[in-house]
């Protein structure tokens, strides 16, 4: 065995923050695209399904990446895997920004989606370096980073939008007014490069080193992080766990072990939360934030501003989760969050269910001065009870491109809705998700699986969560225009209720317990 250089001493907080910075870039990537939808749709004349494909391309790619992430993590280590992921982010950001057509943009975003595995690898790495007393708090940093990335993107999109509408000379000089969406996407390049550089400053995962027989290096790293046990005791405990768990010997044995009776409860808990976290529709709201708010009739500029508010609320309540998760515990936060999420989504359903749509002749005349809506004069003073009926009537005389360009202003003028009710429902859902479902998924994934199978288990269930997320993102524009906002939010609410029923019966409390203690408890129960 070759000699190694003793790692530079860093705090566990520093390492967690560096690794979690990849989640910030993911959030940035995911939310920046929300601001480009209107511009890209008009430039490339996209259909609903093409818009869905553009937004969801990373979600599709990550499904393929997660199939091999566990193998790569166990083969070359968590640190090297993260470095590779960071390079993919850089390449994708550059390619997306300069994409000459829709097809190139889809490919660039698909490649970027391969890097979305940064979430599962970050949770894995942090769970393996963190002392049990602060593990929940540290893994939650991953979720904080995501929502900070989302929030930053909403601010950036709103700022770029406002600048693009100004008449300052430099705005035209750099094509900010004509290439608005490219500037939105280009912002991601800088943080991706910064993350790539920072990853070289962190140590390898000590648990991975133990799996590879590099115990002395593992002890040095554990000693830096002020664990509950001494480095020698922790190495011995991990080695014992690996010895009694033959799944740690190979990737295929680890995957097979997920179907064993021993891991049955852990698997059911992970499967349930993986599905429910996305089936409640969080990525429909976050990835399409301006589009969602335009459905309420607030207009484009206000929709972008409301997206900023969503980002700020998300950050605030994810920080709340950090302070509560190791005090209150995972189970109380998750159960209360699922209740609040389900209620708030039902409130949104009620708000849209009671909405009606009507355009006066004066409104049609005024809108026609700035948009091509010729042929809809016969709809004047007709009342529609649903957004579906209203949009269907518009589609009979307008092309998809014309409707997409004018949809925001048409809805703004036609809709009669209790904006306060719907906005309250959306904001309460954002609150509920970010103090419960958002951060706790990654905490539980990092805790409930034994060391020997964690490298496979986390990517597997991240794959399932990502698969649900992909379908939510891909079909949201189509569902919005064919099923209607009211029924879409009702489905999300029902998903939350189902998740609550399952997890109430199955989910144990894991705070302040070592990974080995949690393993023993899940096997015994």
């Amino acid at each position: 065995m070759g000699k190694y250089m003793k790692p530079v001493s860093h705090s566990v907080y520093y390492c967690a923050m560096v690794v979690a910075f990849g989640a910030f870039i993911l959030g940035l990537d995911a939310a920046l695209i929300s601001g480009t939808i209107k511009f890209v749709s008009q430039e490339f004349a996209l259909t609903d399904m093409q818009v869905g494909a553009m937004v969801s391309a990373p979600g599709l790619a990550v499904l393929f990446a997660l199939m091999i992430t566990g193998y790569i993590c166990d083969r070359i280590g968590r640190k090297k895997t993260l470095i590779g992921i960071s390079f993919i982010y850089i390449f994708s950001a550059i390619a997306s920004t300069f994409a000459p057509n829709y097809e190139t943009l889809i490919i660039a975003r698909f490649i970027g989606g391969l890097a979305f595995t940064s979430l599962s690898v970050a949770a894995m790495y942090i769970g393996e370096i963190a002392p049990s007393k602060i593990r929940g708090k540290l893994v939650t940093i991953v979720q904080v980073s995501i929502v900070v990335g989302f929030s930053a993107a909403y601010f950036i999109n709103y700022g770029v939008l406002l600048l693009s509408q100004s008449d300052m000379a430099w705005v035209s000089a750099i094509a900010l007014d004509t290439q608005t969406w490219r500037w939105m996407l280009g912002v991601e390049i800088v943080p991706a490069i910064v993350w790539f550089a920072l990853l070289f400053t962190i140590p390898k995962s000590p648990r991975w080193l133990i799996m590879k027989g590099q115990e002395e290096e593992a002890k040095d790293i554990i000693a830096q992080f002020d664990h509950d046990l001494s480095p020698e005791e922790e190495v011995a405990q991990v080695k014992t766990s690996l010895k009694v768990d033959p799944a740690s010997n190979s990737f295929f044995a680890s995957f097979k072990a997920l179907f064993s009776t021993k891991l049955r409860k852990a698997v059911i808990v992970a499967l349930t939360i993986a599905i429910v976290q996305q089936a409640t529709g969080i990525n429909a709201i976050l990835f399409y934030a301006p589009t969602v708010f335009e459905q309420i009739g607030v207009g484009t500029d206000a929709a972008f501003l409301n997206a900023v508010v969503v980002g700020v609320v998300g950050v605030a309540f994810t920080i709340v989760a950090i302070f509560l998760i190791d005090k209150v515990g995972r189970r109380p936060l998750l159960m209360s969050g699922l209740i609040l999420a389900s209620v708030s989504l039902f409130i949104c359903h009620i708000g849209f269910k009671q909405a009606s749509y009507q355009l006066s002749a004066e409104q049609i005349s005024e809108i026609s001065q700035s948009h091509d809506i010729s042929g809809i004069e016969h709809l004047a003073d007709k009342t529609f009870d649903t957004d579906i009926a209203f949009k269907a009537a518009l589609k009979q005389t307008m092309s998809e491109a014309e409707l997409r360009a004018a949809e925001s202003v048409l809805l703004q003028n036609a809709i009669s809705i209790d904006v306060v009710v719907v906005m309250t429902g959306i904001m309460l859902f954002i609150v509920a998700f970010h103090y419960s479902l958002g951060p706790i998924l990654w905490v539980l994934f990092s805790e409930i699986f034994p060391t020997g199978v964690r490298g496979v288990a986390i990517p597997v269930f991240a794959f399932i969560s990502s698969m649900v997320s992909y379908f939510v993102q891909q079909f949201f524009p189509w569902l919005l225009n064919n099923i209607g906002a009211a029924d879409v939010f009702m489905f999300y609410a029902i998903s939350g209720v189902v998740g609550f029923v399952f997890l109430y019966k199955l989910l144990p409390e894991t705070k302040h317990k070592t990974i080995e203690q949690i393993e023993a408890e899940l096997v015994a129960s």
Side-chain angles (χ1 to χ4, degrees):
M1 187 182 300
K3 296 194 71 163
Y4 68 92
M5 293 185 65
K6 196 166 183 176
V8 177
S9 181
H10 286 306
S11 75
V12 68
Y13 289 98
Y14 171 84
C15 295
M17 289 176 67
V18 167
V19 171
F21 191 61
F24 168 84
I25 299 171
L26 187 156
L28 199 66
D29 184 288
L32 285 172
I33 197 68
S34 72
T36 71
I37 291 173
K38 180 181 290 291
F39 302 104
V40 177
S41 297
Q42 292 178 21
E43 182 169 332
F44 298 138
L46 305 184
T47 65
D48 286 338
M49 291 301 286
Q50 286 177 319
V51 171
M54 177 183 72
V55 174
S56 66
L60 177 62
V62 76
L63 299 181
F64 295 97
L66 285 168
M67 292 179 185
I68 60 172
T69 297
Y71 174 79
I72 294 173
C73 281
D74 285 346
R75 181 80 176 180
I76 67 173
R78 286 56 162 147
K79 177 179 175 177
K80 289 182 179 178
T81 302
L82 286 166
I83 291 172
I85 286 171
S86 66
F87 181 79
I88 294 173
Y89 272 130
I90 296 170
F91 177 85
S92 171
I94 294 173
S96 297
T97 301
F98 296 99
N101 51 48
Y102 169 71
E103 290 76 17
T104 307
L105 179 60
I106 286 287
I107 293 170
R109 286 188 52 72
F110 182 88
I111 292 172
L114 300 175
F116 277 25
T117 55
S118 56
L119 286 186
S120 59
V121 182
M124 186 189 308
Y125 178 91
I126 296 171
E128 292 179 353
I129 68 170
S132 61
K133 59 189 175 185
I134 58 170
R135 186 174 56 243
K137 183 184 297 183
L138 289 180
V139 176
T140 305
I141 292 176
V142 174
Q143 184 65 23
V144 173
S145 297
I146 297 173
V147 296
V148 170
F150 270 103
S151 185
Y154 295 142
F155 273 105
I156 290 164
N157 283 343
Y158 186 53
V160 171
L161 179 70
L162 293 182
L163 284 173
S164 70
Q165 297 168 351
S166 72
D167 55 2
M168 291 182 286
W170 66 268
V171 170
S172 296
I174 64 173
L176 190 61
D177 53 344
T178 58
Q179 301 294 323
T180 308
W181 66 270
R182 296 185 188 277
W183 281 99
M184 290 177 176
L185 296 183
V187 171
E188 185 183 337
I189 298 170
V190 174
I193 292 172
V194 171
W195 189 45
F196 177 78
L198 287 174
L199 284 171
F200 286 92
T201 69
I202 63 170
K204 298 173 183 176
S205 161
R207 288 176 184 269
W208 179 79
L209 288 169
I210 295 168
M211 288 174 64
K212 297 300 179 182
Q214 301 174 37
E215 295 175 19
E216 293 305 313
E217 186 174 357
K219 288 177 185 177
D220 283 334
I221 294 171
I222 292 169
Q224 298 178 53
F225 294 149
D226 187 30
H227 280 207
D228 308 307
L229 304 175
S230 69
E232 291 74 20
E233 290 174 320
E234 183 141 346
V235 168
Q237 190 176 80
V238 173
K239 286 178 68 178
T240 300
S241 174
L242 294 173
K243 283 180 182 176
V244 300
D245 192 352
S248 61
N249 295 329
S250 73
F251 171 83
F252 296 105
S254 296
F255 184 79
K256 184 178 178 181
L258 294 179
F259 299 94
S260 67
T261 304
K262 174 184 174 183
L263 293 179
R264 180 177 298 164
K265 188 171 182 180
V267 165
I268 295 174
V269 168
L271 180 64
T272 302
I273 193 171
I275 294 173
V276 171
Q277 192 210 43
Q278 295 301 325
T280 50
I282 185 62
N283 282 342
I285 294 174
L286 295 182
F287 285 50
Y288 293 93
T291 303
V292 171
F293 288 116
E294 284 183 356
Q295 302 304 305
I296 307 173
V298 298
T300 298
D301 287 3
F304 272 76
L305 180 58
N306 281 322
V308 170
V309 176
V310 165
V312 172
V313 171
V315 171
F317 281 88
T318 305
I319 293 172
V320 168
I322 287 183
F323 287 103
L324 295 181
I325 197 163
D326 284 320
K327 294 180 180 179
V328 176
R330 289 62 158 150
R331 181 181 167 86
L333 287 180
L334 188 56
M335 294 299 100
S336 63
L338 279 167
I339 293 172
L340 181 57
S342 300
V343 171
S344 60
L345 290 165
F346 184 71
I347 290 173
C348 293
H349 162 77
I350 294 297
F352 280 109
K353 196 73 173 176
Q354 296 176 343
S356 62
Y357 303 80
Q358 183 186 75
L359 286 170
S360 66
E362 292 78 15
Q363 287 173 320
I364 292 173
S365 176
E366 184 177 342
I367 296 170
S368 65
Q369 296 176 18
S370 57
H371 295 81
D372 184 7
I373 59 168
S374 58
I376 70 166
E377 291 79 6
H378 66 287
L379 299 180
D381 299 320
K382 286 188 177 181
T383 301
F384 299 90
D385 294 330
T386 67
D387 51 346
I388 299 304
F390 177 62
K391 291 176 183 178
L394 292 173
K395 286 179 180 178
Q396 289 179 357
T397 55
M398 297 177 67
S399 69
E400 191 146 17
E402 291 171 342
L403 178 56
R404 193 172 298 283
E407 183 176 10
S408 176
V409 68
L410 287 169
L411 284 170
Q412 186 177 3
N413 282 273
I415 195 168
S416 175
I417 190 172
D418 193 330
V419 175
V420 174
V421 168
V422 177
M423 286 294 295
T424 299
I426 290 175
M427 291 304 169
L428 283 177
F429 173 65
I430 296 298
V431 168
F433 181 88
H434 285 95
Y435 84 74
S436 63
L437 275 167
I440 290 175
L441 175 140
W442 297 109
V443 174
L444 289 175
F445 279 8
S446 72
E447 292 179 331
I448 63 177
F449 293 107
T451 299
V453 300
R454 191 179 303 115
V456 172
I458 293 179
V460 163
F461 290 100
F463 170 89
I464 293 169
S465 182
S466 297
M467 182 169 61
V468 179
S469 175
Y470 164 72
F471 285 115
V472 169
Q473 296 169 50
Q474 170 65 58
F475 292 102
F476 181 71
W478 185 87
L479 289 172
L480 204 58
N481 291 326
N482 291 274
I483 304 298
D487 289 344
V488 169
F489 278 102
M490 174 58 88
F491 173 79
Y492 294 158
I494 292 172
S495 298
V497 172
V498 173
F500 175 85
V501 171
F502 272 83
L503 291 171
Y504 183 82
K505 294 180 178 180
L506 297 170
L507 182 66
E509 183 52 73
T510 58
K511 71 171 182 176
H512 299 166
K513 296 174 183 175
T514 67
I515 291 172
E516 286 69 31
Q517 288 172 335
I518 296 168
E519 175 188 352
E521 182 177 331
L522 284 169
V523 171
S525 59

